Amino acid sequence: MVCTSGLVVAPLLVVFVGSQVLVTISIVQGIREQLQKRAPPFATYTWIEDDVPEYFPVSGGPTLVLTSIEESVRYGIQEPEAYYEWAYNAPVGEGGNVRLGPNHRLFVTSFAHQLHCLLTFRTLLNDEGIPDGRALHHSEHCLSFLRQHTLCAADTTLEPDDTFSRNFTSQRVIADRKCVRTESYYETTRDMWMEWVAFKHRSTNTSL
């Protein structure tokens, strides 16, 4: 009598082992792809000309939090406190400037630039008359800058069908959505600003 169980098990074992090998290869390739996407350590940059990181190094990396998109009683146009409410969004220090690398090279984050443009528009809306000269060119720059970054982000989040017609006085909340935790950005810029202030203080004392 011929035993056929071994003849059946052997091919199944080969298939099982082969599938596990393919899964392992796929996992390894996925890990390699993710590692390749990671930005190189700061120590690898020379900080000369274009040899700099693409993104500002937020401590802990981007974190998503649930945020309500809604009308606010703050951030008005003509209220006495409006300017300070809008200015409060600016990062601590030099209005969004950050200094990176061993020589403390100066950069501006796109996030801070966009906030600056929003503050500019609020100021223009509160001023009398039509802007001209430098103010006009600045506003045109900011308008184009925000347009391009809106197109760059191309946010396709779905909103309610009455978004353009609802009464936002009584229906203030549009939706809850996951947004980047901006506090991490503010905390990192604050820490870097304090490091820059300490560096300037040490440099001043050394030169005396």
Side-chain angles (χ1 to χ4, degrees):
M1 181 176 181
V2 179
C3 180
T4 59
S5 60
L7 298 177
V8 175
V9 171
L12 292 177
L13 183 61
V14 171
V15 171
F16 175 77
V17 172
S19 64
Q20 293 301 306
V21 170
L22 292 176
V23 169
T24 302
I25 292 175
S26 177
I27 293 174
V28 171
Q29 288 178 340
I31 294 175
R32 286 178 176 174
E33 291 175 358
Q34 292 301 318
L35 290 176
Q36 290 174 352
K37 293 179 181 179
R38 294 177 59 184
F42 268 30
T44 63
Y45 294 103
T46 63
W47 301 93
I48 299 174
E49 296 184 351
D50 294 333
D51 189 22
V52 297
E54 184 177 2
Y55 298 103
F56 177 72
V58 176
S59 298
T63 303
L64 297 180
V65 294
L66 194 63
T67 304
S68 292
I69 307 300
E70 59 184 353
E71 291 292 293
S72 174
V73 296
R74 302 185 183 277
Y75 304 104
I77 303 297
Q78 298 179 327
E79 292 80 1
E81 67 277 7
Y83 174 83
Y84 298 101
E85 288 176 340
W86 282 94
Y88 180 78
N89 285 305
V92 68
E94 301 174 292
N97 294 342
V98 293
R99 297 177 183 273
L100 303 172
N103 296 321
H104 301 276
R105 181 173 169 179
L106 181 66
F107 296 89
V108 179
T109 64
S110 179
F111 177 57
H113 193 169
Q114 293 172 55
L115 290 175
H116 161 80
C117 283
L118 291 175
L119 178 60
T120 296
F121 287 140
R122 193 226 63 93
T123 302
L124 289 173
L125 289 171
N126 188 50
D127 290 343
E128 296 182 359
I130 300 175
D132 57 6
R134 184 179 183 279
L136 176 61
H137 294 311
H138 188 194
S139 61
E140 290 174 338
H141 154 75
C142 276
L143 190 62
S144 179
F145 181 79
L146 291 177
R147 175 187 65 84
Q148 293 178 74
H149 277 270
T150 300
L151 293 173
C152 179
D155 188 351
T156 56
T157 301
L158 296 177
E159 297 183 351
D161 59 356
D162 64 343
T163 297
F164 295 129
S165 60
R166 71 165 54 187
N167 183 349
F168 282 102
T169 302
S170 58
Q171 297 174 287
R172 309 188 71 85
V173 178
I174 298 177
D176 292 335
R177 57 176 299 182
K178 292 181 179 179
C179 301
V180 174
R181 182 180 180 271
T182 54
E183 286 80 1
S184 300
Y185 167 79
Y186 287 117
E187 291 164 1
T188 306
T189 53
R190 179 201 61 205
D191 293 343
M192 288 191 170
W193 167 251
M194 297 303 295
E195 291 177 5
W196 166 242
V197 171
F199 170 79
K200 288 198 301 181
H201 180 71
R202 291 193 303 269
S203 300
T204 301
N205 291 339
T206 302
S207 61
L208 294 178

PDB file of all heavy atoms in Angstrom, residues 189-204:
ATOM      1  N   THR A 189       9.576  76.141  17.546  1.00  0.00           N
ATOM      2  CA  THR A 189      10.113  77.457  17.186  1.00  0.00           C
ATOM      3  C   THR A 189      10.481  78.259  18.435  1.00  0.00           C
ATOM      4  O   THR A 189      11.473  78.987  18.440  1.00  0.00           O
ATOM      5  CB  THR A 189       9.103  78.257  16.349  1.00  0.00           C
ATOM      6  OG1 THR A 189       7.841  78.319  17.036  1.00  0.00           O
ATOM      7  CG2 THR A 189       8.897  77.605  14.997  1.00  0.00           C
ATOM      8  N   ARG A 190       9.695  78.104  19.494  1.00  0.00           N
ATOM      9  CA  ARG A 190      10.016  78.799  20.749  1.00  0.00           C
ATOM     10  C   ARG A 190      11.341  78.305  21.314  1.00  0.00           C
ATOM     11  O   ARG A 190      12.196  79.111  21.711  1.00  0.00           O
ATOM     12  CB  ARG A 190       8.900  78.565  21.766  1.00  0.00           C
ATOM     13  CG  ARG A 190       9.141  79.220  23.138  1.00  0.00           C
ATOM     14  CD  ARG A 190       8.307  78.532  24.190  1.00  0.00           C
ATOM     15  NE  ARG A 190       8.666  77.125  24.311  1.00  0.00           N
ATOM     16  CZ  ARG A 190       7.847  76.186  24.768  1.00  0.00           C
ATOM     17  NH1 ARG A 190       6.615  76.486  25.125  1.00  0.00           N
ATOM     18  NH2 ARG A 190       8.257  74.925  24.857  1.00  0.00           N
ATOM     19  N   ASP A 191      11.521  76.981  21.338  1.00  0.00           N
ATOM     20  CA  ASP A 191      12.763  76.424  21.874  1.00  0.00           C
ATOM     21  C   ASP A 191      13.967  76.864  21.041  1.00  0.00           C
ATOM     22  O   ASP A 191      15.027  77.210  21.585  1.00  0.00           O
ATOM     23  CB  ASP A 191      12.682  74.896  21.909  1.00  0.00           C
ATOM     24  CG  ASP A 191      11.643  74.399  22.908  1.00  0.00           C
ATOM     25  OD1 ASP A 191      11.234  75.193  23.779  1.00  0.00           O
ATOM     26  OD2 ASP A 191      11.230  73.225  22.802  1.00  0.00           O
ATOM     27  N   MET A 192      13.802  76.863  19.714  1.00  0.00           N
ATOM     28  CA  MET A 192      14.910  77.275  18.849  1.00  0.00           C
ATOM     29  C   MET A 192      15.203  78.763  18.996  1.00  0.00           C
ATOM     30  O   MET A 192      16.349  79.197  18.897  1.00  0.00           O
ATOM     31  CB  MET A 192      14.595  76.923  17.396  1.00  0.00           C
ATOM     32  CG  MET A 192      14.666  75.443  17.099  1.00  0.00           C
ATOM     33  SD  MET A 192      14.611  75.088  15.329  1.00  0.00           S
ATOM     34  CE  MET A 192      15.023  73.339  15.338  1.00  0.00           C
ATOM     35  N   TRP A 193      14.151  79.549  19.226  1.00  0.00           N
ATOM     36  CA  TRP A 193      14.356  80.980  19.437  1.00  0.00           C
ATOM     37  C   TRP A 193      15.151  81.214  20.723  1.00  0.00           C
ATOM     38  O   TRP A 193      16.064  82.048  20.753  1.00  0.00           O
ATOM     39  CB  TRP A 193      13.016  81.692  19.500  1.00  0.00           C
ATOM     40  CG  TRP A 193      13.096  83.106  20.008  1.00  0.00           C
ATOM     41  CD1 TRP A 193      12.666  83.582  21.208  1.00  0.00           C
ATOM     42  CD2 TRP A 193      13.661  84.225  19.319  1.00  0.00           C
ATOM     43  NE1 TRP A 193      12.921  84.918  21.320  1.00  0.00           N
ATOM     44  CE2 TRP A 193      13.536  85.350  20.175  1.00  0.00           C
ATOM     45  CE3 TRP A 193      14.260  84.390  18.075  1.00  0.00           C
ATOM     46  CZ2 TRP A 193      13.983  86.610  19.818  1.00  0.00           C
ATOM     47  CZ3 TRP A 193      14.712  85.655  17.717  1.00  0.00           C
ATOM     48  CH2 TRP A 193      14.570  86.744  18.582  1.00  0.00           C
ATOM     49  N   MET A 194      14.826  80.478  21.770  1.00  0.00           N
ATOM     50  CA  MET A 194      15.553  80.614  23.026  1.00  0.00           C
ATOM     51  C   MET A 194      17.017  80.201  22.858  1.00  0.00           C
ATOM     52  O   MET A 194      17.921  80.816  23.434  1.00  0.00           O
ATOM     53  CB  MET A 194      14.880  79.777  24.114  1.00  0.00           C
ATOM     54  CG  MET A 194      13.458  80.219  24.454  1.00  0.00           C
ATOM     55  SD  MET A 194      13.355  81.953  24.961  1.00  0.00           S
ATOM     56  CE  MET A 194      14.307  81.908  26.474  1.00  0.00           C
ATOM     57  N   GLU A 195      17.248  79.164  22.048  1.00  0.00           N
ATOM     58  CA  GLU A 195      18.626  78.754  21.774  1.00  0.00           C
ATOM     59  C   GLU A 195      19.375  79.852  21.024  1.00  0.00           C
ATOM     60  O   GLU A 195      20.554  80.117  21.290  1.00  0.00           O
ATOM     61  CB  GLU A 195      18.629  77.458  20.959  1.00  0.00           C
ATOM     62  CG  GLU A 195      18.144  76.236  21.720  1.00  0.00           C
ATOM     63  CD  GLU A 195      18.099  75.001  20.842  1.00  0.00           C
ATOM     64  OE1 GLU A 195      18.548  75.094  19.674  1.00  0.00           O
ATOM     65  OE2 GLU A 195      17.616  73.950  21.309  1.00  0.00           O
ATOM     66  N   TRP A 196      18.694  80.498  20.086  1.00  0.00           N
ATOM     67  CA  TRP A 196      19.318  81.572  19.311  1.00  0.00           C
ATOM     68  C   TRP A 196      19.637  82.772  20.208  1.00  0.00           C
ATOM     69  O   TRP A 196      20.709  83.367  20.111  1.00  0.00           O
ATOM     70  CB  TRP A 196      18.392  81.981  18.171  1.00  0.00           C
ATOM     71  CG  TRP A 196      18.736  83.269  17.492  1.00  0.00           C
ATOM     72  CD1 TRP A 196      17.979  84.397  17.427  1.00  0.00           C
ATOM     73  CD2 TRP A 196      19.939  83.571  16.772  1.00  0.00           C
ATOM     74  NE1 TRP A 196      18.617  85.379  16.724  1.00  0.00           N
ATOM     75  CE2 TRP A 196      19.826  84.901  16.305  1.00  0.00           C
ATOM     76  CE3 TRP A 196      21.089  82.853  16.482  1.00  0.00           C
ATOM     77  CZ2 TRP A 196      20.822  85.524  15.563  1.00  0.00           C
ATOM     78  CZ3 TRP A 196      22.094  83.475  15.741  1.00  0.00           C
ATOM     79  CH2 TRP A 196      21.956  84.794  15.291  1.00  0.00           C
ATOM     80  N   VAL A 197      18.721  83.125  21.097  1.00  0.00           N
ATOM     81  CA  VAL A 197      18.955  84.232  22.029  1.00  0.00           C
ATOM     82  C   VAL A 197      20.140  83.914  22.936  1.00  0.00           C
ATOM     83  O   VAL A 197      21.003  84.770  23.178  1.00  0.00           O
ATOM     84  CB  VAL A 197      17.686  84.505  22.864  1.00  0.00           C
ATOM     85  CG1 VAL A 197      17.980  85.498  23.982  1.00  0.00           C
ATOM     86  CG2 VAL A 197      16.565  85.027  21.971  1.00  0.00           C
ATOM     87  N   ALA A 198      20.203  82.670  23.424  1.00  0.00           N
ATOM     88  CA  ALA A 198      21.318  82.271  24.282  1.00  0.00           C
ATOM     89  C   ALA A 198      22.637  82.313  23.515  1.00  0.00           C
ATOM     90  O   ALA A 198      23.672  82.739  24.050  1.00  0.00           O
ATOM     91  CB  ALA A 198      21.068  80.867  24.837  1.00  0.00           C
ATOM     92  N   PHE A 199      22.610  81.895  22.254  1.00  0.00           N
ATOM     93  CA  PHE A 199      23.819  81.928  21.423  1.00  0.00           C
ATOM     94  C   PHE A 199      24.297  83.364  21.223  1.00  0.00           C
ATOM     95  O   PHE A 199      25.496  83.656  21.333  1.00  0.00           O
ATOM     96  CB  PHE A 199      23.539  81.268  20.075  1.00  0.00           C
ATOM     97  CG  PHE A 199      24.636  81.450  19.066  1.00  0.00           C
ATOM     98  CD1 PHE A 199      25.787  80.673  19.122  1.00  0.00           C
ATOM     99  CD2 PHE A 199      24.527  82.408  18.061  1.00  0.00           C
ATOM    100  CE1 PHE A 199      26.809  80.845  18.200  1.00  0.00           C
ATOM    101  CE2 PHE A 199      25.541  82.585  17.134  1.00  0.00           C
ATOM    102  CZ  PHE A 199      26.688  81.804  17.204  1.00  0.00           C
ATOM    103  N   LYS A 200      23.373  84.275  20.927  1.00  0.00           N
ATOM    104  CA  LYS A 200      23.760  85.673  20.747  1.00  0.00           C
ATOM    105  C   LYS A 200      24.331  86.249  22.039  1.00  0.00           C
ATOM    106  O   LYS A 200      25.292  87.025  22.008  1.00  0.00           O
ATOM    107  CB  LYS A 200      22.547  86.498  20.298  1.00  0.00           C
ATOM    108  CG  LYS A 200      22.102  86.242  18.881  1.00  0.00           C
ATOM    109  CD  LYS A 200      21.220  87.368  18.368  1.00  0.00           C
ATOM    110  CE  LYS A 200      19.986  87.539  19.213  1.00  0.00           C
ATOM    111  NZ  LYS A 200      19.114  88.627  18.679  1.00  0.00           N
ATOM    112  N   HIS A 201      23.739  85.858  23.156  1.00  0.00           N
ATOM    113  CA  HIS A 201      24.219  86.352  24.445  1.00  0.00           C
ATOM    114  C   HIS A 201      25.641  85.869  24.713  1.00  0.00           C
ATOM    115  O   HIS A 201      26.506  86.646  25.140  1.00  0.00           O
ATOM    116  CB  HIS A 201      23.278  85.887  25.553  1.00  0.00           C
ATOM    117  CG  HIS A 201      23.677  86.342  26.922  1.00  0.00           C
ATOM    118  ND1 HIS A 201      23.579  87.654  27.330  1.00  0.00           N
ATOM    119  CD2 HIS A 201      24.201  85.649  27.981  1.00  0.00           C
ATOM    120  CE1 HIS A 201      24.008  87.768  28.576  1.00  0.00           C
ATOM    121  NE2 HIS A 201      24.390  86.565  28.991  1.00  0.00           N
ATOM    122  N   ARG A 202      25.899  84.583  24.432  1.00  0.00           N
ATOM    123  CA  ARG A 202      27.246  84.044  24.633  1.00  0.00           C
ATOM    124  C   ARG A 202      28.243  84.712  23.697  1.00  0.00           C
ATOM    125  O   ARG A 202      29.370  85.029  24.089  1.00  0.00           O
ATOM    126  CB  ARG A 202      27.245  82.528  24.403  1.00  0.00           C
ATOM    127  CG  ARG A 202      26.494  81.729  25.446  1.00  0.00           C
ATOM    128  CD  ARG A 202      26.819  80.245  25.326  1.00  0.00           C
ATOM    129  NE  ARG A 202      26.516  79.729  23.998  1.00  0.00           N
ATOM    130  CZ  ARG A 202      25.343  79.204  23.650  1.00  0.00           C
ATOM    131  NH1 ARG A 202      24.354  79.153  24.538  1.00  0.00           N
ATOM    132  NH2 ARG A 202      25.145  78.739  22.431  1.00  0.00           N
ATOM    133  N   SER A 203      27.821  84.935  22.447  1.00  0.00           N
ATOM    134  CA  SER A 203      28.717  85.552  21.468  1.00  0.00           C
ATOM    135  C   SER A 203      29.061  86.976  21.868  1.00  0.00           C
ATOM    136  O   SER A 203      30.206  87.423  21.726  1.00  0.00           O
ATOM    137  CB  SER A 203      28.063  85.543  20.081  1.00  0.00           C
ATOM    138  OG  SER A 203      27.788  84.220  19.664  1.00  0.00           O
ATOM    139  N   THR A 204      28.076  87.696  22.392  1.00  0.00           N
ATOM    140  CA  THR A 204      28.312  89.075  22.819  1.00  0.00           C
ATOM    141  C   THR A 204      29.277  89.123  23.988  1.00  0.00           C
ATOM    142  O   THR A 204      30.207  89.935  24.032  1.00  0.00           O
ATOM    143  CB  THR A 204      26.982  89.744  23.209  1.00  0.00           C
ATOM    144  OG1 THR A 204      26.092  89.719  22.090  1.00  0.00           O
ATOM    145  CG2 THR A 204      27.213  91.180  23.637  1.00  0.00           C
TER     146      THR A 204
END
